[in-house]
Amino acid sequence: MAVAGAIIGAAVGGWANDRHGRRSALLAADFLFFIGAVIMAASPGPATLIVGRVFVGLGVGMASMTSPLYISEASPAKIRGALVSTNNFLITFGQFLSYLINLAFTKVPGTWRWMLGVAGLPALLQFSLMIFLPESPRWLFRKGREEEAKAILRKIYPAEDVETEIQDLKDSIDKEIREEGTSEKINFRKLWQTKTVRRGLIAGVGLQVFQQFVGINTLAGFASNQTALLLSLVTAGLNAFGSILSIYFIDRTGRKKLLLISLFGVAVSLGLLAGIFHQTTTHSPMVTVASGTKFSNMTCPDYGSAANSASWDCMKCLKASHPDCGFCSAASDKLLPGVCLVSDDTVKDLCHGDSREWYTRGCPSKFGWLALIGLGLYIISFSPGMGTAPWIVNSEIYPLRFRGVCGGIAATANWISNLIVAQTFLSLTEAIGTDMTFLLFGIVSVVGFFFVIVFVPETKGLPIEEVEKMLELRPLQYKFWEKKKRPEGTMEEEEKLDKKNQGV
């Protein structure tokens, strides 16, 4: 329900950003999040809890597309990527802290109310601090409030750069008004018919969809369900570390190159995980008869009635569903044959009381340490590139007039993709197996690799107003293996920008 709320919040956030400004949208997001946290903490039952989750989702969805946009529009070009990456680092580091905070509350009376309610404090703090921050200077300029915008730009940019920045922004808006008029009405037909917007949307929405369809949330969730809090802390810590790498490299390496390196690492790690899970599936411990033990009356009905029960192994046991069954390992060695039992809390406690291990989501394997390596490689590959770059690209790739609504469309696509992947993951693993599911994610990451080569332009170091000009001139790289000649007019601009960034 929180993700469903985020879909709506991202969509409404795009409209709110263009209509009321970036700062106002962030204040609204903080208010919604705070209200949701209070409702959840005070919830008398599941229905009210769900309402609170929807409010939190609305706030998250709105903030997810507004925060990088606000930061991007208020940042000098040469450090814009690093500052937007810092936003992602604070998100991932916040997730790491949330596990520690929840751990601290596990022994406190009213555990879950504290866990959910304390989330309102950061929203309240940000709301209070946002009141003292200025509106985005680019949004102010677009609304005709030029003097306010100039005053903010003079605070942000060095004295020698500020007049050039103001002039570029003014030229961009003058050109936009000449071409489109002063009308605020925006429809999807107009978006698609505008070449720069169309190219930006293909790149931006595509990146957001691929970010989710390479399986990041399913892998993190899979690990969390398997080994609980400790592994969640490790994965959250690796995610935060990857965000730090992004801060360092995003403005040095560039968005596109970092995305390609990230997707290559993701594809390799997903291939490794698919191989590990295939090995685990095909070499899981056999099932032995439970007769003569205290488990004899708890045998899984499907196993007891199966004609080929002698061929049953742990994976076959876990796939039984009438009723659900679990695998209780041998006491001496979890890789030796165990018993297939009805899955309930009583049987689970008996299994653990007999110095055995209880499995319902996966089988014991000697390759478990390799799975941890594969998961770590996946996260450290994903986080610096695909974890941050899609949000950075979406915050800088659209013309000013369409920036809010296009950013909202891309963020909505992200949350819809998130929901689709989350809701289909278990069904996929049951239908084709965990190994083939991860292999499918790996294939998607390879497709994403070529998508980035063809459709995603490099925006490193470019003033936001220059990105629009570059999209207008840049041909799509369908024959990406051929060296392309730069469009006329861009070489000189890039050389000037390089000299400027190097202090020449």
Side-chain angles (χ1 to χ4, degrees):
M1 293 307 296
V3 174
I7 293 171
I8 300 169
V12 173
W15 168 82
N17 268 270
D18 282 337
R19 185 68 180 267
H20 301 291
R22 308 352 179 184
R23 177 173 168 271
S24 298
L26 280 172
L27 288 169
D30 288 329
F31 177 75
L32 288 167
F33 198 96
F34 178 76
I35 294 298
V38 171
I39 291 173
M40 290 190 299
S43 173
T48 315
L49 191 64
I50 288 171
V51 171
R53 293 299 289 168
V54 172
F55 269 92
V56 166
L58 289 169
V60 168
M62 192 175 289
S64 69
M65 58 81 49
T66 307
S67 296
L69 182 58
Y70 179 83
I71 295 167
S72 175
E73 290 190 340
S75 304
K78 62 184 178 182
I79 59 167
R80 187 172 63 234
L83 291 178
V84 179
S85 292
T86 301
N87 174 64
N88 194 70
F89 163 69
L90 293 173
I91 292 170
T92 53
F93 184 66
Q95 290 168 341
F96 178 78
L97 285 181
S98 73
Y99 286 115
L100 295 178
I101 292 168
N102 286 348
L103 183 63
F105 280 124
T106 53
K107 303 298 181 184
V108 175
T111 299
W112 64 268
R113 294 187 187 277
W114 281 105
M115 288 180 179
L116 298 174
V118 75
L121 295 180
L124 184 62
L125 176 64
Q126 180 169 283
F127 184 93
S128 303
L129 295 176
M130 280 301 301
I131 292 173
F132 300 101
L133 286 178
E135 181 52 83
S136 160
R138 285 172 169 79
W139 183 83
L140 289 171
F141 226 109
R142 182 66 182 80
K143 294 295 180 179
R145 295 158 64 177
E146 293 188 13
E147 292 307 314
E148 291 178 65
K150 289 177 181 177
I152 296 167
L153 287 170
R154 289 190 177 102
K155 292 180 181 179
I156 296 170
Y157 284 85
E160 64 271 17
D161 296 341
V162 68
E163 293 306 322
T164 303
E165 188 67 26
I166 291 172
Q167 189 58 47
D168 287 345
L169 183 54
K170 188 174 186 303
D171 291 345
S172 173
I173 291 171
D174 288 345
K175 178 188 172 188
E176 179 186 296
I177 291 173
R178 284 196 306 271
E179 291 178 355
E180 304 291 342
T182 57
S183 172
E184 294 293 328
K185 292 182 180 179
I186 296 174
N187 56 55
F188 287 104
R189 185 179 177 185
K190 177 173 286 198
L191 291 177
W192 195 250
Q193 288 178 342
T194 307
K195 183 166 71 171
T196 54
V197 179
R198 182 175 66 250
R199 287 182 170 182
L201 275 173
I202 290 171
V205 172
L207 282 177
Q208 295 287 32
V209 171
F210 278 112
Q211 185 192 67
Q212 295 301 320
F213 273 80
V214 297
I216 179 60
N217 288 312
T218 59
L219 261 73
F222 189 82
S224 178
N225 287 335
Q226 289 295 89
T227 57
L229 187 62
L230 180 60
L231 192 51
S232 296
L233 281 168
V234 172
T235 55
L238 284 173
N239 211 4
F241 176 70
S243 299
I244 295 174
L245 293 179
S246 178
I247 293 171
Y248 182 80
F249 285 110
I250 195 73
D251 286 315
R252 291 172 172 82
T253 306
R255 287 73 161 137
K256 187 166 183 172
K257 191 177 291 185
L258 201 57
L259 280 166
L260 293 173
I261 294 169
S262 175
L263 283 165
F264 178 79
V266 165
V268 170
S269 54
L270 283 168
L272 176 63
L273 283 168
I276 292 166
F277 279 103
H278 178 74
Q279 193 73 6
T280 300
T281 303
T282 54
H283 293 79
S284 63
M286 300 301 293
V287 172
T288 187
V289 180
S291 59
T293 70
K294 61 182 178 182
F295 302 115
S296 55
N297 295 324
M298 304 170 187
T299 300
C300 175
D302 283 5
Y303 172 73
S305 60
N308 61 339
S309 60
S311 65
W312 272 48
D313 59 13
C314 171
M315 291 304 300
K316 184 80 171 177
C317 172
L318 299 191
K319 289 180 179 178
S321 57
H322 303 290
D324 290 337
C325 297
F327 181 79
C328 185
S329 71
S332 55
D333 185 345
K334 64 182 182 180
L335 298 177
L336 292 175
V339 289
C340 186
L341 309 174
V342 174
S343 180
D344 62 37
D345 289 340
T346 302
V347 175
K348 175 183 175 182
D349 291 341
L350 281 173
C351 179
H352 284 150
D354 204 30
S355 300
R356 299 167 179 250
E357 294 294 331
W358 178 248
Y359 298 88
T360 56
R361 293 181 179 270
C363 292
S365 169
K366 60 183 177 181
F367 302 106
W369 63 276
L370 273 176
L372 288 176
I373 291 174
L375 179 62
L377 176 62
Y378 176 92
I379 292 170
I380 209 67
S381 297
F382 177 90
S383 184
M386 285 301 291
T388 57
W391 296 105
I392 295 170
V393 172
N394 273 282
S395 69
E396 58 193 11
I397 203 171
Y398 307 113
L400 179 58
R401 181 170 181 239
F402 302 103
R403 199 166 291 153
V405 69
C406 290
I409 290 169
T412 303
N414 181 288
W415 287 108
I416 290 173
S417 302
N418 183 319
L419 187 64
I420 291 171
V421 173
Q423 294 301 313
T424 58
F425 177 67
L426 288 178
S427 300
L428 270 175
T429 57
E430 289 173 5
I432 63 175
T434 305
D435 53 345
M436 294 304 296
T437 302
F438 287 160
L439 183 61
L440 181 62
F441 289 148
I443 292 170
V444 171
S445 66
V446 172
V447 175
F449 184 91
F450 290 105
F451 173 86
V452 170
I453 291 175
V454 175
F455 292 102
V456 179
E458 180 55 75
T459 55
K460 179 185 77 167
L462 285 176
I464 290 181
E465 287 66 42
E466 292 296 325
V467 174
E468 180 181 355
K469 192 181 297 182
M470 180 264 295
L471 277 176
E472 181 74 34
L473 297 170
R474 174 186 180 270
L476 296 178
Q477 294 176 282
Y478 291 115
K479 296 182 179 180
F480 54 83
W481 56 88
E482 294 181 1
K483 190 171 183 179
K484 291 284 182 182
K485 292 176 67 176
R486 293 180 184 273
E488 290 183 21
T490 60
M491 178 70 81
E492 184 182 343
E493 288 163 5
E494 289 187 17
E495 286 177 355
K496 284 168 61 180
L497 186 67
D498 287 341
K499 288 179 181 179
K500 182 179 172 183
N501 288 340
Q502 293 165 15
V504 177

